[in-house]
Amino acid sequence: MSDASTRGRTTAEESAAEGGAGDEAGGQRWAVAVLIVASVLFGCSGVFAKLLFVEQISPVQVTALRTLVATVCIVAFAVLLDRRTFAVTAPQLRFLAGFSVIFTLVQLSFYWTVALTDVAIAISLQYTAPVFVLIYDSLRGRRVGAAAWAAVAVAVVGCALLTRATDAAVLAEDALGIAVGLLSGVIFAAYNIAGNGVAGRRIGTITASIYSFGLSGAGWAVLMLAGLVPVGELTGDQIGNILFIGIGATFVPFVLLTYALRRVRADRATVIGMVDPLSAAVLAYLLLGEALDALQAVGMAMVLAAIVLLGRARRAA
């Protein structure tokens, strides 16, 4: 879901598998409602970050401050929830250290794309991650069915329409933003691929999230203290936006997802997760005046539909 890794590897499939037995139990409608709210909140992240970029706050600064704020909240939440979630072995910690680096790059590449292009385009390009995962699987010799490749074709055409790639002038003007956006999709794909090793190493999804944020936040803190990532003087409104991104658009939906994804099937969660980019597009229009034309809207719909189809094709394989 948006803003990738808290959003971040959403681990919808893992979490749903862990709580699949509860799928038949009560509370389904409530869990779905909670998941929708979480998706909308995640969708706010890019929009409020864009408000900061307009005021010359850099993507690096936003990524660092957002991570630090969210880290404090998530670590406190984990302490109250169950301190055993912090327990890891040395090999698990080494894996999580590398995992946190990819996690950090997911965040940074997304916000960088938002700074360079429209929010809806940025999030849609990052959502192409399953396409790159499929290509990776194919290169490794895994059989990929015709339905999956058809979904890839739909995603490619959708991206072309969304980014107006047929217009040479627009393409030249937005080339860097599109390139970084596709790179964010590749990095998010790497994050998901690496995340497949979480369960295999007997690491819980909450533990993985704690260490992803914690180690990333620690790294950003060191860079700030060393003066390599200057914070500068922030206004009250800017601080408020950063706190909202870190708490309202990261920590709160993280807690909601922890609850909902244990009660909603992975296929259903994937479809509901499309509320994330759609709400981001609506908010970007209302708060930033960023509007998609008809062909771009069709392109965005095609990309999101392709992601849902890819998910179904992979589960059916």
Side-chain angles (χ1 to χ4, degrees):
M1 305 185 175
S2 167
D3 184 20
S5 29
T6 14
R7 280 178 38 203
R9 186 177 190 243
T10 48
T11 59
E13 295 180 11
E14 289 181 10
S15 298
E18 292 174 7
D23 190 43
E24 300 297 328
Q28 274 290 297
R29 291 183 179 178
W30 173 248
V32 168
V34 167
L35 189 56
I36 291 173
V37 171
S39 297
V40 171
L41 289 174
F42 275 135
C44 294
S45 177
V47 176
F48 279 81
K50 190 63 171 279
L51 291 173
L52 293 169
F53 300 150
V54 171
E55 297 183 4
Q56 306 306 309
I57 307 298
S58 76
V60 172
Q61 291 171 298
V62 170
T63 303
L65 293 170
R66 175 257 192 183
T67 302
L68 286 171
V69 171
T71 296
V72 172
C73 295
I74 289 174
V75 169
F77 170 73
V79 169
L80 295 174
L81 182 69
D82 187 353
R83 295 186 181 185
R84 290 174 297 179
T85 55
F86 291 92
V88 294
T89 64
Q92 288 174 333
L93 183 58
R94 286 194 292 271
F95 169 80
L96 289 169
F99 194 51
S100 71
V101 172
I102 304 175
F103 168 87
T104 302
L105 293 175
V106 168
Q107 311 301 314
L108 185 57
S109 63
F110 171 70
Y111 287 126
W112 188 13
T113 308
V114 170
L116 292 170
T117 186
D118 289 353
V119 173
I121 294 176
I123 193 170
S124 297
L125 290 177
Q126 190 176 63
Y127 263 59
T128 60
V131 172
F132 297 111
V133 172
L134 186 77
I135 294 172
Y136 171 81
D137 287 344
S138 176
L139 292 174
R140 286 176 58 86
R142 179 176 175 177
R143 184 179 176 278
V144 177
W149 286 119
V152 170
V154 171
V156 170
V157 174
C159 280
L161 292 176
L162 178 64
T163 59
R164 293 186 289 183
T166 54
D167 188 324
V170 172
L171 185 61
E173 182 179 349
D174 296 340
L176 180 58
I178 295 170
V180 175
L182 291 173
L183 176 61
S184 76
V186 172
I187 296 172
F188 195 22
Y191 180 76
N192 279 274
I193 292 168
N196 289 331
V198 168
R201 288 172 172 79
R202 307 177 76 85
I203 301 172
T205 53
I206 293 179
T207 298
S209 296
I210 292 169
Y211 277 90
S212 293
F213 271 101
L215 294 174
S216 179
W220 284 119
V222 170
L223 292 175
M224 285 181 172
L225 290 173
L228 298 177
V229 178
V231 177
E233 294 185 6
L234 301 174
T235 66
D237 287 344
Q238 291 169 343
I239 293 173
N241 279 348
I242 290 168
L243 290 175
F244 176 77
I245 294 170
I247 300 173
T250 302
F251 170 66
V252 172
F254 167 79
V255 174
L256 296 178
L257 280 178
T258 300
Y259 168 84
L261 291 180
R262 293 180 181 277
R263 294 164 176 81
V264 180
R265 294 192 312 271
D267 56 346
R268 194 175 188 185
T270 300
V271 174
I272 296 171
M274 295 301 106
V275 171
D276 176 349
L278 294 175
S279 63
V282 172
L283 285 170
Y285 172 72
L286 294 175
L287 298 181
L288 302 170
E290 294 181 353
L292 300 176
D293 61 29
L295 282 180
Q296 285 181 302
V298 170
M300 183 175 181
M302 291 176 69
V303 171
L304 301 183
I307 301 313
V308 173
L309 293 174
L310 269 176
R312 291 179 177 176
R314 293 193 73 196
R315 281 188 289 274

